[in-house]
Amino acid sequence: MDQLSLSIDAYTQQGLRRSINQDCIGIGSWRGGAGGGTELSLNYLCEQKSELFLLSDGIGGHDDGEIASRFSVDSIFELFQSQEDFDILTAISITHDKLVNIGLGSLRPLGATLVGLIFTKNLVTIFSLGDSACYHLNGDKLVNLTEDVKSSKPHFNVIEQCLGGGITKPNPSIVKRKFKIGDVFILTSDGVSNWADKEQIKMTIQSKQLSFSRKLCSIAKKSGSNDDLSAVVIKIKSL
């Protein structure tokens, strides 16, 4: 990877009506949310051939969401760091099988949504399972790159794509995009994306905020979100 320089900030907080934060952010060795910190801000010069960023959200109504999300992030990062030719589809499949085995026999098996980015040269791979989101801001254009996959059945708001959670095999949405200096990628849990619209997200990123991710979570909270709130903002500074 040719001298990719990134400005990164991340923030997560427990929801107003939550007993524990079930979101988990993974950036290198740092973990935010489930069993981790609250906020991260740094300028980062990528030296590896690729870089990985993850956000996972424990599924409501299932056992130990904070364990599921943290396990998912740790498992995928472990595979990313140990494999020469990392493949996200394989990593998702392995992590899913492990979660299934942990929750075997439970009526509410461990499950977690996932959204993430892999930067390689001037290409980024975006992958997602469930209703966490990834946005790409290019100039004045903000695009949601992820599909919000919920059940079409009458029992509203049921997540059909996830890690674990009782499903047979996850089928992630995968998108590849080129990027350039000045572009911004934003990861959010559904506690933010369901309550902050695209115009609010764009205006926040284009403002002179000191912490974009914290501001996005604050907007969602003021809009009425009681869910756990997490956001990661990644700005491309140089290639």
Side-chain angles (χ1 to χ4, degrees):
M1 179 181 289
D2 298 328
Q3 296 298 300
L4 178 61
S5 180
L6 306 174
S7 175
I8 304 162
D9 78 80
Y11 180 79
T12 182
Q13 71 174 73
Q14 180 180 321
L16 288 173
R17 297 183 180 178
R18 304 287 177 167
S19 58
I20 190 169
N21 189 349
Q22 295 189 353
D23 289 356
C24 185
I25 298 170
I27 300 173
S29 61
W30 184 81
R31 299 292 178 266
T38 300
E39 192 166 13
L40 177 72
S41 179
L42 75 159
N43 292 315
Y44 183 66
L45 182 63
C46 302
E47 297 178 352
Q48 301 183 38
K49 63 179 182 179
S50 58
E51 295 291 340
L52 173 68
F53 298 85
L54 295 176
L55 194 161
S56 181
D57 179 3
I59 297 176
H62 290 246
D63 291 337
D64 301 320
E66 74 283 0
I67 295 175
S69 62
R70 178 63 184 260
F71 180 89
S72 298
V73 169
D74 287 345
S75 172
I76 292 174
F77 258 101
E78 182 180 350
L79 293 166
F80 175 75
Q81 292 163 351
S82 64
Q83 295 179 353
E84 186 68 25
D85 296 314
F86 177 76
D87 177 67
I88 187 57
L89 286 174
T90 301
I92 284 173
S93 180
I94 291 171
T95 301
H96 171 74
D97 290 345
K98 289 179 178 178
L99 270 181
V100 168
N101 288 332
I102 292 171
L104 208 60
S106 172
L107 294 176
R108 304 187 308 166
L110 275 72
T113 68
L114 180 73
V115 65
L117 301 169
I118 301 174
F119 286 99
T120 306
K121 295 184 179 179
N122 66 336
L123 188 71
V124 61
T125 301
I126 301 97
F127 49 92
S128 65
L129 289 163
D131 55 3
S132 293
C134 176
Y135 302 87
H136 179 196
L137 180 63
N138 174 262
D140 199 47
K141 184 179 181 182
L142 181 71
V143 180
N144 185 343
L145 300 176
T146 46
E147 296 178 5
D148 188 354
V149 184
K150 295 181 182 179
S151 176
S152 58
K153 299 174 183 178
H155 300 291
F156 40 88
N157 225 28
V158 176
I159 301 297
E160 291 189 334
Q161 290 296 327
C162 62
L163 293 165
I167 73 167
T168 303
K169 182 180 180 180
N171 182 27
S173 167
I174 296 181
V175 178
K176 294 182 182 291
R177 301 275 286 198
K178 291 185 176 180
F179 58 87
K180 61 184 182 180
I181 296 173
D183 282 9
V184 185
F185 291 90
I186 306 107
L187 303 177
T188 66
S189 61
D190 66 318
V192 174
S193 56
N194 286 349
W195 294 88
D197 62 36
K198 287 173 66 176
E199 189 62 27
Q200 289 174 312
I201 293 172
K202 184 172 74 171
M203 289 181 64
T204 298
I205 302 304
Q206 292 176 333
S207 70
K208 295 182 179 181
Q209 298 289 328
L210 295 177
S211 176
F212 301 103
S213 53
R214 180 189 281 267
K215 179 62 176 178
L216 290 175
C217 292
S218 176
I219 289 171
K221 185 177 179 180
K222 288 178 181 177
S223 296
S225 178
N226 292 316
D227 201 353
D228 298 327
L229 305 165
S230 297
V232 181
V233 178
I234 306 163
K235 286 192 169 187
I236 314 300
K237 295 179 65 180
S238 63
L239 300 176

